[in-house]
Amino acid sequence: MAPLRSYIMQLLIDSADRKELLARFFIAVVFSIGVFFFEWVSKKSQTVVVRDMEKDLRDHLMDKLFYISANQFEKKGLAYYLSKFTTDIKIILDDGVNNVYENHLFY
């Protein structure tokens, strides 16, 4: 949307008279409201997707944890599994999912 914003600003600057400026200003306002709306929807959907992915990851990890034998659980220790629930899931979400949204790799 940035190139289109620049084009609209150029149209505003190059307006010949007041009537033309007001017409182009109206277009710029409508465009700005549209961009704001789509960016807001995009941010909200990103929040929902990331939240759901985090919940699914935690649920999947918890399901796997129930099938681990007591000996195997004691061998690795509670700290290992707590690390999976906190640090590792945060790394996956921050470096993986959120990075995709921030760098717009889905376009």
Side-chain angles (χ1 to χ4, degrees):
M1 294 301 217
L4 193 53
R5 288 180 196 166
S6 299
Y7 179 72
I8 288 177
M9 290 304 288
Q10 179 186 356
L11 288 176
L12 288 173
I13 292 170
D14 293 342
S15 299
D17 59 4
R18 185 181 178 132
K19 186 176 180 181
E20 186 179 357
L21 176 64
L22 288 175
R24 290 181 178 178
F25 180 74
F26 177 73
I27 292 170
V29 168
V30 169
F31 175 76
S32 297
I33 290 170
V35 167
F36 173 77
F37 175 74
F38 286 117
E39 287 178 352
W40 179 77
V41 168
S42 174
K43 211 42 143 166
K44 287 293 184 184
S45 65
Q46 174 188 352
T47 303
V48 169
V49 167
V50 171
R51 183 194 66 212
D52 290 348
M53 288 182 96
E54 181 177 8
K55 182 183 176 307
D56 289 345
L57 281 169
R58 290 184 191 278
D59 288 346
H60 181 73
L61 192 58
M62 191 59 133
D63 288 341
K64 293 292 183 183
L65 191 60
F66 282 125
Y67 294 106
I68 295 175
S69 67
N71 289 337
Q72 187 179 3
F73 185 84
E74 288 178 9
K75 191 187 312 184
K76 289 190 177 181
L78 180 62
Y80 173 80
Y81 296 105
L82 285 176
S83 172
K84 294 295 180 202
F85 272 104
T86 56
T87 309
D88 293 355
I89 289 177
K90 182 171 175 30
I91 289 171
I92 290 170
L93 292 173
D94 289 346
D95 293 345
V97 178
N98 287 328
N99 196 20
V100 168
Y101 278 102
E102 289 171 9
N103 292 325
H104 305 291
L105 295 176
F106 56 93
Y107 286 94

